[in-house]
Amino acid sequence: MSDLENLFEEARRSTPAPSAGLEARVLADALRLQPRPRALEGAGSLSYSAPVAPGFWAQLAGWFGGAGALAGMAAAGFAGLAVGYLQPAGLAGLTTLLLTDVAVAEAPVELMPGLDALLPEE
Amino acid sequence: MPRDTLSEAGDEALLVLYANGDPMAARALVARLLPPLLRYATRVLGDGAEAEDVVQEVLLRLWRIAPDWRPGGAQPRTWAYRVAGNLCTDRLRARRHHVPGGLAEAPEAPDPAPGVLARMAEGDRMAALDAALLALPERQRMAVVLRHIEGLPNPEIAEILGAGVEAAESLVARGKRALQAMLGGRKADLGYEGEER
């Protein structure tokens, strides 16, 4: 090995010692400029953008088959509330007809055949 | 990421981890990059304090660019050496423009004899090498340091210097010949008296 090669070899081994504050300053810069950590899936994975947990409305839309369906359900729900609250004309009479005993008594209908023939003989 | 896994990760992976918020990635990158960058800048500038400023600036720019780093291109080390070289060049140019007596630029190859010989007379081998390096034209100095002290391959040196591979090889060869001329034939002064190598 030549003299110069010896010098190069020695130079490779001699790294100037940084001042006391250099590493601290460099790491402080790194911390200050570092982006906020994203959620990582599992400890061993390299960085990638893990799926973000869906929000409440996104989950609800998923149950109803999408945002469009959810919107339709919401519209139907509001319509029902409006009908019940606002009582359009004619609705009150229909409600009375359906919900009172008088309506049932005035229109008896034999809907079920007699069951006596089916009872076991005693 | 666990510390032992960090040690196996490449520089590029560490940089991506840093950009994604890994709290240990910066420390691992600093441990890898700071010493060689400081060694390089100190030998190019001949001034430890200035070299530290350069290294801090290089790493500051690395932290800033980290979120936009695209894997598959230049390695972080290559990029960092290149930025360090450019910053050193700026400082050396600024020194020349502050030469007392006017804006005359210093010659590319000033007479190295006084500094180098003085160091050799003192028997300080490393100081003699450093003085001889500082006597080289800047790009030869960078090329020789990158090749023979940092141990980088010529294609990477070419990328760092923004030159073709042949141009980088030529810079290395010319720089080494110049060093040999300054330091050669001085075995006794360099502490080799009585040794045959």
Side-chain angles (χ1 to χ4, degrees):
Chain A
M1 191 184 290
S2 71
D3 301 336
L4 188 53
E5 292 296 334
N6 286 330
L7 282 176
F8 286 150
E9 176 67 33
E10 197 171 328
R12 277 192 284 276
R13 291 195 303 267
S14 69
T15 298
S19 67
L22 177 62
E23 188 172 331
R25 290 196 300 276
V26 165
L27 288 172
D29 289 339
L31 193 65
R32 179 169 51 83
L33 295 169
Q34 185 166 28
R36 292 180 60 189
R38 302 185 199 177
L40 293 177
E41 183 179 354
S45 61
L46 287 177
S47 64
Y48 70 98
S49 197
V52 178
F56 169 74
W57 291 111
Q59 283 184 326
L60 194 62
W63 293 338
F64 287 98
L70 181 62
M73 289 293 298
F78 277 115
L81 282 173
V83 164
Y85 185 73
L86 298 174
Q87 296 278 314
L91 184 60
L94 177 62
T95 305
T96 303
L97 183 66
L98 290 174
L99 297 182
T100 60
D101 293 339
V102 173
V104 171
E106 287 182 351
V109 176
E110 278 292 335
L111 296 176
M112 297 292 290
L115 297 176
D116 293 346
L118 299 177
L119 291 173
E121 292 189 3
E122 294 178 359
Chain B
M1 179 172 277
R3 192 185 296 264
D4 54 347
T5 312
L6 274 182
S7 65
E8 295 164 6
D11 292 350
E12 208 163 48
L14 286 177
L15 194 58
V16 171
L17 283 168
Y18 165 80
N20 284 279
D22 188 302
M24 298 306 297
R27 193 171 289 274
L29 268 172
V30 169
R32 288 186 191 182
L33 296 179
L34 190 148
L37 287 175
L38 185 62
R39 198 166 52 221
Y40 176 55
T42 302
R43 291 214 154 86
V44 171
L45 291 171
D47 183 318
E50 275 206 272
E52 290 202 358
D53 289 345
V54 164
V55 170
Q56 184 176 358
E57 179 64 28
V58 171
L59 293 174
L60 183 76
R61 295 185 187 196
L62 186 65
W63 310 139
R64 285 201 177 116
I65 205 175
D68 300 321
W69 189 272
R70 293 291 169 261
Q75 285 296 306
R77 179 182 74 173
T78 309
W79 180 93
Y81 271 122
R82 181 162 186 166
V83 175
N86 291 341
L87 291 173
C88 288
T89 297
D90 291 344
R91 285 174 178 257
L92 290 167
R93 191 172 295 140
R95 280 186 204 169
R96 289 197 291 272
H97 283 283
H98 284 96
V99 172
L103 292 176
E105 291 206 7
E108 277 229 328
D111 182 8
V116 176
L117 291 176
R119 300 298 186 279
M120 289 194 291
E122 292 166 11
D124 190 337
R125 295 148 53 111
M126 282 296 96
L129 175 63
D130 290 343
L133 282 168
L134 286 173
L136 292 178
E138 198 170 294
R139 282 174 70 76
Q140 285 183 24
R141 187 187 320 152
M142 289 178 177
V144 168
V145 171
L146 289 170
R147 182 73 189 92
H148 291 294
I149 298 178
E150 298 305 311
L152 303 187
N154 285 330
E156 188 172 356
I157 295 172
E159 199 173 340
I160 290 167
L161 297 179
V165 177
E166 283 187 16
E169 288 172 348
S170 172
L171 284 167
V172 170
R174 290 187 348 241
K176 189 176 177 184
R177 276 199 300 275
L179 286 178
Q180 193 71 55
M182 283 186 267
L183 297 167
R186 298 279 180 175
K187 281 188 178 179
D189 295 318
L190 290 171
Y192 291 110
E193 190 164 8
E195 294 176 11
E196 288 299 325
R197 291 183 188 249

